[in-house]
Amino acid sequence: MRPITGREELDLFSQLPYVRNEELADDLAAGRRRPAWMWVALRGDRLLARTAWWSRRDGDAPFILDVLDIDDSAPGPDRVDIGARLLRTATAATLPNGSRPPEYSRFVPPDWRENATTRQAVGERMTVLERTGAQLFVERLRLEWRPQSPVPAPSGRLAFRPVHDDKELVALMALVLDGTLDAHGRDDLTRMSVHEAAVKHYEDELARYTSPRDWWRIATLPSGEPVGFIIPARNNYNPIIAYLAVLPTHRGNGYIDDILAEGTRILAEQNVPRVRAATDLGNIPMANAFRRAGYINFEREINMTWS
């Protein structure tokens, strides 16, 4: 069990299939991954398991554990044991002693529970995590809009303007945390104030996007009163809807459809090949809004955390 030596061992690391394999080389070049964070368990030349962390930018600490694979053709109990041993070994060598491990993320097919083979593969990887003390935190829908889908025309009910500054956006983000169905937002509120949670989300994510901030929109009534907002952006991999929200006092009026349509239009005008988004499986109103806007559920995401 050891980390890879560098880019020259990417072929070895990529022997186990996963959608993230196609991103590994670029992530290494950009510093979002490091060879020391990419561990393998080998028996001779055979790759039995692997794990890796990712960070948002070069120089950051590991932000998320997003690769954990085992050889599905190996004997059942053996492969789970090897995966757990590898994860413990890699974690001890990679993360500061006593620190809480970063969240785990796994992309899975949208129907993973209905397919026996996929259900077993996902379940065994979750078992590996559970043996190291992790628990399921949330399951999320990964959504995608494609240019073949029409963008609804503006209804005229709302007006849209740019965000004035970060203080305005953080204030609105704090307001929408009231009654939020987002698991990460609710978890933040158990450990910090509403304002602190909004600042954390803004600084940790939204402020880091290098795409134009003039894409960001505040939705208002004709009187100018804010109703909600949307943050179209581009991350390191895709155009995305980074944040979509309706203020609590205006929920239940269908404004979410108008706001999502505006954000989708902004990105569609850039001639992008796709627009991606995500929401918690339990956030039914948000999921339904994306469905009405023509977004398809192309994957799910499993998030697990350590206490």
Side-chain angles (χ1 to χ4, degrees):
M1 296 185 181
R2 63 171 177 83
I4 64 171
T5 57
R7 292 176 61 89
E8 64 275 9
E9 286 199 313
L10 273 184
D11 287 344
L12 167 67
F13 190 83
S14 300
Q15 285 178 10
L16 297 179
Y18 184 42
V19 65
R20 292 231 183 249
N21 284 358
E22 62 191 39
E23 301 169 356
L24 297 175
D26 286 345
D27 283 347
L28 271 174
R32 294 186 292 267
R33 297 191 193 274
R34 302 177 194 173
W37 297 352
M38 303 173 70
W39 280 68
V40 292
L42 302 169
R43 181 174 289 142
D45 294 331
R46 182 179 178 185
L47 180 62
L48 299 179
R50 65 175 187 167
T51 193
W53 287 265
W54 175 92
S55 66
R56 283 190 169 127
R57 60 186 178 187
D58 189 13
D60 284 1
F63 177 76
I64 199 161
L65 175 70
D66 65 341
V67 177
L68 176 65
D69 282 301
I70 52 181
D71 180 359
D72 293 316
S73 66
D78 188 44
R79 61 178 175 249
V80 173
D81 289 343
I82 291 171
R85 286 172 54 201
L86 174 65
L87 183 55
R88 290 191 191 100
T89 302
T91 298
T94 304
L95 304 181
N97 187 34
S99 65
R100 180 183 180 182
E103 185 173 296
Y104 167 73
S105 165
R106 176 80 183 185
F107 295 155
V108 299
D111 59 348
W112 69 272
R113 288 185 177 84
E114 283 70 55
N115 182 291
T117 300
T118 306
R119 184 172 65 249
Q120 177 175 321
V122 174
E124 288 183 346
R125 284 155 178 78
M126 293 177 72
T127 299
V128 168
L129 273 291
E130 288 166 354
R131 289 193 182 181
T132 68
Q135 295 180 324
L136 177 65
F137 179 71
V138 70
E139 184 170 339
R140 310 196 80 213
L141 303 175
R142 282 173 49 79
L143 306 151
E144 183 173 275
W145 176 90
R146 296 166 184 168
Q148 304 92 295
S149 300
V151 180
S155 70
R157 297 197 303 164
L158 299 176
F160 293 91
R161 62 166 174 82
V163 176
H164 290 323
D165 52 34
D166 57 347
K167 291 183 180 179
E168 178 188 37
L169 185 57
V170 167
L172 293 175
M173 291 170 67
L175 290 175
V176 302
L177 283 170
D178 179 15
T180 181
L181 298 177
D182 180 79
H184 288 90
R186 293 169 68 175
D187 182 62
D188 283 342
L189 292 177
T190 66
R191 294 176 284 106
M192 60 189 75
S193 70
V194 170
H195 178 73
E196 289 170 337
V199 170
K200 173 179 176 290
H201 191 164
Y202 177 81
E203 293 182 347
D204 287 354
E205 181 181 353
L206 304 186
R208 293 173 180 255
Y209 292 126
T210 58
S211 47
R213 293 196 180 187
D214 59 13
W215 291 353
W216 300 4
R217 292 289 186 273
I218 305 295
T220 72
L221 297 174
S223 64
E225 178 185 352
V227 164
F229 60 92
I230 191 161
I231 308 297
R234 184 186 290 273
N235 62 19
N236 294 317
Y237 311 99
N238 291 287
I240 61 170
I241 299 297
Y243 206 127
L244 166 63
V246 178
L247 300 183
T249 54
H250 293 286
R251 290 171 184 162
N253 297 308
Y255 292 139
I256 192 170
D257 294 331
D258 301 80
I259 299 171
L260 177 55
E262 176 71 8
T264 305
R265 264 194 304 276
I266 289 169
L267 292 175
E269 289 171 357
Q270 314 305 313
N271 296 315
V272 299
R274 70 189 70 85
V275 176
R276 289 195 170 168
T279 191
D280 291 0
L281 181 62
N283 193 340
I284 304 300
M286 188 73 73
N288 286 341
F290 279 106
R291 177 183 51 79
R292 290 191 299 269
Y295 286 71
I296 64 167
N297 173 210
F298 74 100
E299 275 181 339
R300 291 192 182 188
E301 179 183 9
I302 302 291
N303 291 152
M304 299 181 71
T305 56
W306 287 260
S307 58

